[in-house]
Amino acid sequence: MGTILVTGGAGYIGSHVVLKLAERGEDVVVLDNLSTGFRSAVLHGDLMIGDTADRHLVSKLLEARRVDAVMHFAAHIVVPESVEQPLKYYRNNTCATGSLLECCIESGVRHFVFSSTAAVYGIPATGRAGEDAPTEPINPYGTSKLVSEWMLRDAARVSSLDYVALRYFNVAGADFAGRIGQSTPNATHLVKVACEHVVGKRDHVPVFGNDYDTPDGTCVRDYVHVEDLAAAHLDALDYLRQGGGSATLNCGYGRGFSVHEVLGAVRRVSGETLNVVPAPRRPGDPPQLVAVAERIRDLLGWTPRHDDLEEIVSSALAWERRLLSGPMT
Ligand code: UFG
């Protein structure tokens, strides 16, 4: 087995995958420009500081390390920012992925695991999205990833590269050993925002909209533990190494929780009362986004182990407490 290049391996999800690769004794090289990642999150493999779009660097790296599989996490991921600065997202997510793919194909890389997103679905009519649901993103972030999926599909057809694109639903939680977790400043994600409130970093949790057509009026999402999500990447790699064909798969548990249900779990886990403040709807929020998630289990044999909202919240909260003792570097 050759080396695995992990772009964005110093970021939240990439660093969890790197740890899992380490547990299996894989040879890993991380490429990260540290724009949002942290050097100290890379607990295994070699860290190269640089840009995915740097063709010269990437080609040299692929050749020198005899890379035969790439896991591509490096991307900007903040939906509202993508609305304000769309070209930043197309450059960093879409164009950089195209450039990386060209280098991979030139160097004979065989397998490619791509971080895609449930944001490609936009607002699914029924609130649930299977992989064949229409892809109609409602923000540049989702479009930047969807176009990358198309490039991957078309490039794979005419090369020896095969791929798995994983469409993540709402990723949350942290490493159970407390070594790494979501560390981005100015977080916008609900679980992290609520945990930051519990540890005193925020004075309230806003609830964006309470008049949606959902059971309690707040938005419903499919929250997935980052440990299970990370495991799906290793399953994807195994599947490709065994000769499985290219595939695009949802990565979610297939059940949803409302904002109030998430906040209820945060109360139970922390034992704290929360200062919850109603706020206007946030532009671009689909009322409900839950995965139809059978295909990934059938095809990859993915077996989630942490499908438990309180477990997700308690690991996220433990990480938030750990961050109080000093920021990531
Ligand atoms: N929310 C609040 N208050 C907050 C933060 C969030 O009420 O302080 C609400 C949001 O309005 C939404 C829900 O909580 O209804 C979840 O919001 P997140 O920001 O945690 O996550 P999103 O569903 O907006 O987006 C996430 C990822 C995207 C991905 C999408 C796919 O950030 O990258 O899931 O489902 F595309």
Side-chain angles (χ1 to χ4, degrees), residues 23-39:
E23 283 162 16
R24 288 218 318 210
E26 300 273 2
D27 186 28
V28 173
V29 57
V30 169
L31 177 64
D32 199 301
N33 64 10
L34 299 184
S35 61
T36 53
F38 299 90
R39 193 184 289 267

Side-chain angles (χ1 to χ4, degrees), residues 233-287:
H233 291 76
L234 276 76
D235 293 340
L237 181 64
D238 291 343
Y239 162 85
L240 291 173
R241 281 175 170 168
Q242 287 155 18
S246 294
T248 298
L249 302 169
N250 283 344
C251 194
Y253 292 138
R255 50 93 190 107
F257 290 107
S258 71
V259 173
H260 282 318
E261 286 173 324
V262 171
L263 296 179
V266 174
R267 275 190 206 94
R268 288 192 299 280
V269 166
S270 66
E272 303 284 341
T273 53
L274 306 180
N275 180 19
V276 171
V277 177
R281 288 184 178 199
R282 197 173 64 175
D285 271 347

